[in-house]
Amino acid sequence: MRLLKLVPDHTNIHFLKWQWPTTIISVALMVLSWVLIFTHGLNLGVDFKGGQMIRVTFTQSATVSTAQVRSEVESLGFGEPIIQTYGAPNEISIRLGLPEGSDKNPAAAEAMAKTVSAKLKADHADARIDGVDSVSGKVSGELWTIAIKALGAAALAISIFIWYRFEWQFGVGALISLIHDVTLVLGLFAITQMEFDLTTVAAILTVIGYSLNDTIVVYDRIRENLKKFRKMPLPELLDLSVNETLARTVVTSGTMLITLLALALLGPKVIFGFSAALILGIFVCTYSSIYAAAPMLIWLKVTPSSFVATESKLDRQERLAREQR
């Protein structure tokens, strides 16, 4: 059986010759994303803007179909609910955003909860309402602040790790790549107005991890090649390093995309935003590891001498051995 190769051996694509056009595109997309975020804003979910939570137990059923309950609640026209099981499989929580005008008329929120409860009891004779809780805007605001701090801390810690693992130029390159990737994902949510909730925050944290992984793979190969080819021009060396990691990048990104596309197209509606964020994240992370992280090393004046101060005796022996082959 022949080994399937998605990227032929000795592939030599001159990625860096497009570094300036792609840089202009990246900067333009980042500016557009921030403009959209500040003008349109994000469509924050119940997790971040408050709402009502109804706890229900189906006393005569061992399990409950959350898809069926979601359909029943959606038919009432109060927006898209977040439904999760908790405790036993027959216990669920239903979270809904506050209806319009509830800030001036608090009774509207109470009326919404009563309507949902009545609908569930009418459709399910064994439905027992265990409680109705309000998720205040203050608590949700604190949750939003914590989420933003978590994203910032993750990005900063990752950059410090790369700085420690490699050199400061690599840390700066990784941090800019992370900012680029997260900004474009946030821009997607700003322009589409998809709901931004805690699952989206989880998706962005995953994007940060994926971006780190992709950047480290490329940086690791660049570092090896800096030792091997000390007199090779840096753009040529970066092209070589990206080409050498291209097969791994294509396979990793391709398999993840297949899984995420299946989740987005066939999975439940409640995780569509999570899947969409990760799908875009894979594209931008792969793109930024080539056209943000790698060119950044040229602009920060990285040379073999800045990474390896002097050619060691072992390096010299290895280089001479390669030259004699």
Side-chain angles (χ1 to χ4, degrees), residues 51-299:
Q52 293 275 63
M53 183 173 74
I54 304 170
R55 290 177 285 112
V56 188
T57 300
F58 296 85
T59 57
Q60 302 299 319
S61 306
T63 60
V64 59
S65 168
T66 55
Q68 180 184 351
V69 174
R70 180 177 294 105
S71 175
E72 293 166 356
V73 176
E74 280 182 340
S75 68
L76 298 174
F78 292 123
E80 186 176 334
I82 298 174
I83 300 179
Q84 294 174 316
T85 57
Y86 71 96
N90 62 340
E91 297 175 343
I92 63 170
S93 67
I94 303 170
R95 285 181 291 166
L96 283 162
L98 294 174
E100 290 186 10
S102 58
D103 52 338
K104 297 179 181 177
N105 180 21
E110 186 179 347
M112 180 184 71
K114 287 182 178 178
T115 302
V116 173
S117 301
K119 172 69 174 174
L120 291 174
K121 288 182 178 178
D123 292 343
H124 305 272
D126 62 336
R128 185 186 72 204
I129 308 301
D130 293 330
V132 177
D133 302 313
S134 294
V135 182
S136 73
K138 182 180 178 182
V139 172
S140 301
E142 292 174 354
L143 201 57
W144 169 250
T145 303
I146 293 172
I148 295 298
K149 288 180 178 177
L151 293 176
L156 184 61
I158 286 169
S159 300
I160 292 174
F161 167 74
I162 294 181
W163 187 337
Y164 175 77
R165 178 75 171 76
F166 298 94
E167 286 290 316
W168 69 267
Q169 295 96 331
F170 292 81
V172 172
L175 181 59
I176 291 175
S177 295
L178 283 177
I179 293 172
H180 169 273
D181 300 344
V182 172
T183 297
L184 294 195
V185 174
L186 290 175
L188 170 71
F189 278 82
I191 195 170
T192 61
Q193 289 294 296
M194 283 190 292
E195 189 169 279
F196 192 93
D197 52 24
L198 283 177
T199 60
T200 312
V201 174
I204 292 177
L205 287 170
T206 306
V207 167
I208 290 175
Y210 189 83
S211 179
L212 164 70
N213 184 56
D214 229 36
T215 303
I216 281 185
V217 168
V218 175
Y219 276 178
D220 217 30
R221 186 56 57 93
I222 291 172
R223 187 176 64 166
E224 290 177 8
N225 287 335
L226 281 170
K227 293 179 180 177
K228 290 180 182 176
F229 311 106
R230 297 175 62 83
K231 294 185 178 180
M232 182 182 289
L234 191 55
E236 189 178 332
L237 187 141
L238 296 178
D239 273 340
L240 172 67
S241 304
V242 173
N243 278 289
E244 287 179 346
T245 57
L246 196 58
R248 170 263 169 204
T249 301
V250 170
V251 171
T252 304
S253 302
T255 50
M256 285 194 68
L257 273 177
I258 292 172
T259 306
L260 290 169
L261 284 172
L263 273 178
L265 297 175
L266 306 175
K269 191 176 178 181
V270 69
I271 63 169
F272 181 80
F274 177 85
S275 307
L278 286 181
I279 289 171
L280 178 66
I282 287 175
F283 280 110
V284 298
C285 289
T286 305
Y287 167 85
S288 70
S289 65
I290 298 173
Y291 288 113
M296 193 61 59
L297 301 182
I298 299 176
W299 304 328

